[in-house]
């Protein structure tokens, strides 16, 4: 009876597994603050994605860690960059696996910011407009490698339009954009910066990411991204921003993704390791809450475990 009247369903079909790839062979470098998450060499990436795919996880979200960083993020749009070559590999092995790529510059920048930086006596500034060209190039290089969906996470103004125009110009008219539309400057990203080696070398990201206190601004950012051509909009982090998720879904009715970020995962793992909480129960309840708030798509580091639990249920 309870199953019959259940209002919110969790399904493996809604899950996206983020993965980190770097060059090498047989490499599984553990991320200290995210037990069970690794930086993977391309061969291990294929194995990990294959395992999740076999459990029914339909999609992965790729982050690349380049060998070299510079102040133009050239690895982000290199034809044979780590993400581009990994996308080719994944699509060859698993044509049915949806491969989403994170589009940003921070992992590829020597200074770790998401855009080009100008430094002068008065300090450092992010150069919004010149950054757009590089982001568009990065997105196009991912599409060219076979990415099914590109996901810009940089939060520069106008980047969705710049990416849409570049994709269309090069003939990738069918490649949709999932924009990190409401991305807050958040302490919940802490463990990720170790995973993606993308911590800013100076300053913080508050000039381009949103203030946790601002819900109205989040809705305006989402509206802009939709106007510019976003096909799916994302709210990030997830659990501490369920009100935003709800408002985004009810206001726009667009396909909406929730990104349960690194610390959301790490906190559950840490408390579970102490025996203080029931890992499975807390994880599933959190994901149901995101669904109930309006998320259609759940991006979570626990995607493979959740798929296993759902298969058992
Ligand atoms: Zn970034």
């Amino acid at each position: 009876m309870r199953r019959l009247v259940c209002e919110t369903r969790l399904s493996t079909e809604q899950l996206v597994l983020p993965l980190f790839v770097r060059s090498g062979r047989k490499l599984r470098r553990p991320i200290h603050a995210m037990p069970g998450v690794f930086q993977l060499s391309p061969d291990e990436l294929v194995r990990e994605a294959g395992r999740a795919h076999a459990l029914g996880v339909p999609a992965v979200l790729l982050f690349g860690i380049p060998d070299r960083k510079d102040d133009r993020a050239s690895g982000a749009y290199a034809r044979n960059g780590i993400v581009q070559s990994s996308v080719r590999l994944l699509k060859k092995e698993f044509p049915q696996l949806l491969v989403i790529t994170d589009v940003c510059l921070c992992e590829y920048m020597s200074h770790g910011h998401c855009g080009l930086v100008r430094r002068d006596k008065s300090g450092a500034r992010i150069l919004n407009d010149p950054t757009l060209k590089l982001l568009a190039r990065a997105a196009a290089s991912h599409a060219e490698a076979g990415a099914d969906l590109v996901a810009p996470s940089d939060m520069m103004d106008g980047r969705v339009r710049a990416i849409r125009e570049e994709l269309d110009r090069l003939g990738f008219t069918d490649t949709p954009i999932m924009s990190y539309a409401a991305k807050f400057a958040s302490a919940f990203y802490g463990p990720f910066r170790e995973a993606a080696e993308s911590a800013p070398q100076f300053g913080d990201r508050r000039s381009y990411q949103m203030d946790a206190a601002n819900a109205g601004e989040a809705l305006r950012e989402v509206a802009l991204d939709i106007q510019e051509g976003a096909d799916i909009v994302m709210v990030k982090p997830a659990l501490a921003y369920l009100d935003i998720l709800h408002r985004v879904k009810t206001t726009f009715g667009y396909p909406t993704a929730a990104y349960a970020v690194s610390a959301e995962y790490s906190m559950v793992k840490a408390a579970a390791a102490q025996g203080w909480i029931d890992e499975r129960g807390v994880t599933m309840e959190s994901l149901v809450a995101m669904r109930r708030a309006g998320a259609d798509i759940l991006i979570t580091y626990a995607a493979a475990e959740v798929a296993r639990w759902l298969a058992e249920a």
Side-chain angles (χ1 to χ4, degrees):
M1 174 78 119
R2 241 177 252 132
R3 292 170 80 120
L4 206 56
V5 299
C6 176
E7 293 179 28
T8 307
R9 289 175 206 282
L10 204 55
S11 145
T12 309
E13 319 253 280
Q14 295 147 347
L15 300 171
V16 176
L17 176 66
L19 291 170
F20 301 96
V21 62
R22 68 180 308 148
S23 65
R25 265 180 54 80
K26 292 191 164 41
L27 181 81
R28 294 176 70 82
R29 186 181 289 181
I31 294 155
H32 177 68
M34 300 173 75
V37 180
F38 303 85
Q39 291 181 348
L40 303 163
S41 53
D43 53 324
E44 289 291 330
L45 172 81
V46 167
R47 287 181 50 188
E48 194 87 355
R51 266 198 292 269
H53 195 41
L55 287 164
V57 175
V60 295
L61 171 58
L62 274 193
F63 293 88
I65 298 123
D67 290 331
R68 275 188 311 274
K69 300 173 190 259
D70 56 36
D71 60 4
R72 304 219 26 106
S74 43
Y77 40 86
R79 201 177 174 281
N80 285 312
I82 184 68
V83 164
Q84 292 81 350
S85 52
S86 300
V87 169
R88 288 190 194 98
L89 207 57
L90 283 175
K91 289 307 291 185
K92 190 162 141 262
E93 288 289 324
F94 313 110
Q96 296 305 312
L97 177 71
L98 191 84
V99 176
I100 311 170
T101 52
D102 177 80
V103 176
C104 200
L105 306 180
C106 49
E107 297 108 293
Y108 305 90
M109 284 288 198
S110 40
H111 49 63
H113 278 286
C114 304
L116 290 163
V117 169
R118 176 180 293 154
R119 304 177 84 159
D120 53 31
K121 278 183 263 23
S122 59
R125 265 186 331 121
I126 303 290
L127 304 176
N128 189 92
D129 292 6
T131 299
L132 300 181
K133 258 192 214 77
L134 302 188
L135 290 167
R137 265 179 84 178
S141 72
H142 295 176
E144 209 250 315
D148 297 294
L149 181 58
V150 293
S153 62
D154 52 282
M155 291 302 280
M156 297 301 133
D157 290 335
R159 92 275 205 215
V160 174
R161 176 171 291 127
I163 289 171
R164 184 70 272 156
E165 283 175 1
E166 182 70 353
L167 290 174
D168 290 352
R169 189 177 74 78
L170 296 171
F172 301 112
T173 49
D174 294 338
T175 305
I177 298 173
M178 173 165 74
S179 79
Y180 289 61
K183 181 178 179 182
F184 289 88
S186 171
F188 287 89
Y189 302 151
F192 175 92
R193 294 193 177 147
E194 178 197 344
E197 299 183 4
S198 64
Q201 300 302 303
F202 55 87
D204 56 42
R205 297 203 170 102
R206 280 185 289 186
S207 74
Y208 43 103
Q209 296 180 356
M210 276 186 293
D211 188 325
N214 295 358
E217 185 191 5
L219 292 182
R220 290 197 298 279
E221 289 276 4
V222 173
L224 277 174
D225 280 9
I226 289 174
Q227 261 173 33
E228 291 181 20
D231 302 280
I232 300 171
V233 290
M234 186 202 296
V235 175
K236 180 183 183 187
L239 205 53
Y241 295 82
L242 291 183
D243 58 321
I244 309 287
L245 206 45
H246 182 68
R247 289 173 70 176
V248 166
K249 185 63 186 179
T250 51
T251 306
F252 303 103
Y254 256 61
T256 303
Y259 197 142
V261 302
S262 53
E264 297 182 52
Y265 174 85
S266 302
M267 290 191 299
V268 173
K269 284 285 178 194
Q274 297 282 335
W276 293 342
I277 61 168
D278 166 13
E279 179 177 355
R280 176 174 169 167
V282 170
T283 303
M284 297 301 245
E285 188 177 328
S286 303
L287 293 174
V288 166
M290 292 166 211
R291 290 272 301 132
R292 196 185 63 234
D296 305 292
I297 299 164
L298 303 167
I299 304 169
T300 168
Y301 299 99
E305 288 161 296
V306 170
R308 204 174 298 116
W309 291 332
L310 284 170
E312 287 166 9

